[in-house]
Amino acid sequence: MQVGSRAPFHVHSQRQKAQAREALLGYILLAPALLLFLAFTVFPIGFGLYISLHNWRLGPREFLGLGNYIRALSFGSEFWPSLGATLTYSLLAVPIQISIALTLAYLLFQKIRGRALFRVVMFLPWVTSTVATAAVWARLYSPDIGLLNSLLKSLGLSPLRWLLEDKGVFTLIATGLGISLPDWLRGPSLAMVSVVIYTTWVFVGYNMTLFLAGLGNIPSEMYEAARIDGANGWQVFRYITLPLLSPTTFFVVLITVIGTMKAFNHIWVMTQGDNGTLTASILIYRQFYEFQRAGYASALALLLSLAILLVTIVQNRVAAERVNY
C-alpha cells in the first residue's frame, strides 16, 4: 500500500520538474529578445514619458507635470494644425496608394508577358533611398528648372510652384476658372498634393507586392468554378477576389495608415514642413532640434502615438465586421 501510494506522488513530482525545466528553457530562449525589447522599446517609451513631464533643456530641468500636454492640447496650439495636416496627408495618400496597388497587382497577377520585369520595376522605388529619391523629386518640382514645369510650358500651360505653393488645389483650380471659393473649400495645398504624388510613386510597389502575395493564396478552383457558372471578369473580382483578399487589404491599409501618420523623411527633404505640410512628425522634429524643447517634443510624440493607436483601434473595429478569414 505504501508503494502504491507513493507512485502517484512520485510521478506528479517528476512531471512538475519536467514542466519547470521546460518553462526555464523557454524563459532562457526568450531572454535575449525580451532584453532587447525592454532596452529599445519599453525603456525609451518610459524615459520619453519622464522627459515629457519636465521642461527638459540644457541646464536646470523643471518638473512641469502635465504642463507640456496641457500646452499641446490647448486651444491655439500648433499641435492641432499639425495633426490636421497629418490626417489630410493620410486621407489623401492611403486611398490612392491602395487603389493603384490593387489594380496593378490584379493586372500583374494575370498571365502576361514580362510580368516579372514589371513587378521588379514597380518595386524598385521602395528599395531606393527615400532621402535620395525625395531630393530628385524636389528637383523635378523646381519652379525654375524642374522637368515638370518644362513639360507644362511645352504644352502651353502656366508653370506651377509645386512644393512652394501653399494655396489649396481647389482654390487654384477655381482661380483658373475665374471662380472665388471660401477658405473652407480651399482643399489641401499644392505642396501637400505634390508630396502625396511622390509618396504614391514610392510605396505603391510595396503594397502591390503584398496584394500579389494575397492573390496567390486564393485557390484557383474558386475562379474555375465561377467561370463555369458563367461569371464575367467583374463578377469574379467583386464576389471572389475582393472578399478573399480582405485580410491582405486590411493589413495593407493598416500599415499604410500608420506609415503616413508618422512619415517624416521625404516630407522634410522636400518641403521642411512649409506650405501646408507641417505634419506632427515635422513639428516634433522642429521642437526637439530647432527649439531644444525636448520635454514638449516628447509630449507631442506620445500624443501622436496615442492618435495612431486610436486610429488603429477604430480600423480593427471596422475590419472585424468586413474581413473574411
Side-chain angles (χ1 to χ4, degrees), residues 174-233:
T175 302
L177 297 176
I179 303 174
S180 178
L181 289 180
D183 290 340
W184 60 274
L185 279 179
R186 65 189 300 272
S189 67
L190 181 59
M192 176 67 78
V193 174
S194 302
V195 173
V196 169
I197 293 173
Y198 163 80
T199 304
T200 303
W201 175 79
V202 171
F203 292 100
V204 74
Y206 176 73
N207 293 335
M208 178 199 71
T209 303
L210 296 177
F211 278 125
L212 284 171
L215 290 170
N217 290 327
I218 299 177
S220 59
E221 293 81 4
M222 303 288 291
Y223 293 115
E224 295 174 1
R227 293 189 181 96
I228 291 174
D229 291 339
N232 56 34

Side-chain angles (χ1 to χ4, degrees), residues 14-31:
Q14 292 293 334
R15 188 176 301 165
Q16 283 185 329
K17 291 180 180 179
Q19 291 176 349
R21 285 195 297 268
E22 290 180 1
L24 179 61
L25 178 61
Y27 287 127
I28 292 174
L29 295 176
L30 287 173

Side-chain angles (χ1 to χ4, degrees), residues 242-312:
L242 281 181
L244 296 181
L245 199 62
S246 57
T248 304
T249 305
F250 166 65
F251 175 74
V252 173
V253 172
L254 183 64
I255 63 172
T256 305
V257 170
I258 293 175
T260 53
M261 291 192 69
K262 64 178 185 178
F264 172 79
N265 288 350
H266 55 280
I267 301 177
W268 178 258
V269 171
M270 299 178 77
T271 66
Q272 286 77 50
D274 297 330
N275 304 316
T277 63
L278 183 61
T279 59
S281 296
I282 301 295
L283 176 64
I284 294 169
Y285 175 84
R286 283 185 167 178
Q287 292 296 325
F288 190 87
Y289 286 99
E290 293 185 10
F291 301 106
Q292 302 296 314
R293 298 169 181 162
Y296 184 52
S298 298
L300 293 174
L302 289 173
L303 289 174
L304 176 61
S305 300
L306 290 176
I308 294 175
L309 179 61
L310 178 61
V311 172
T312 303

Side-chain angles (χ1 to χ4, degrees), residues 55-100:
N55 181 15
W56 197 273
R57 290 173 176 267
L58 294 177
R61 295 163 183 171
E62 179 186 0
F63 179 76
L64 300 178
L66 298 178
N68 286 322
Y69 294 95
I70 295 174
R71 174 185 173 184
L73 297 175
S74 63
F75 181 77
S77 167
E78 61 267 66
F79 174 69
W80 295 113
S82 69
L83 185 60
T86 302
L87 294 176
T88 300
Y89 174 66
S90 183
L91 290 173
L92 285 174
V94 173
I96 296 174
Q97 289 184 36
I98 300 301
S99 57
I100 295 178

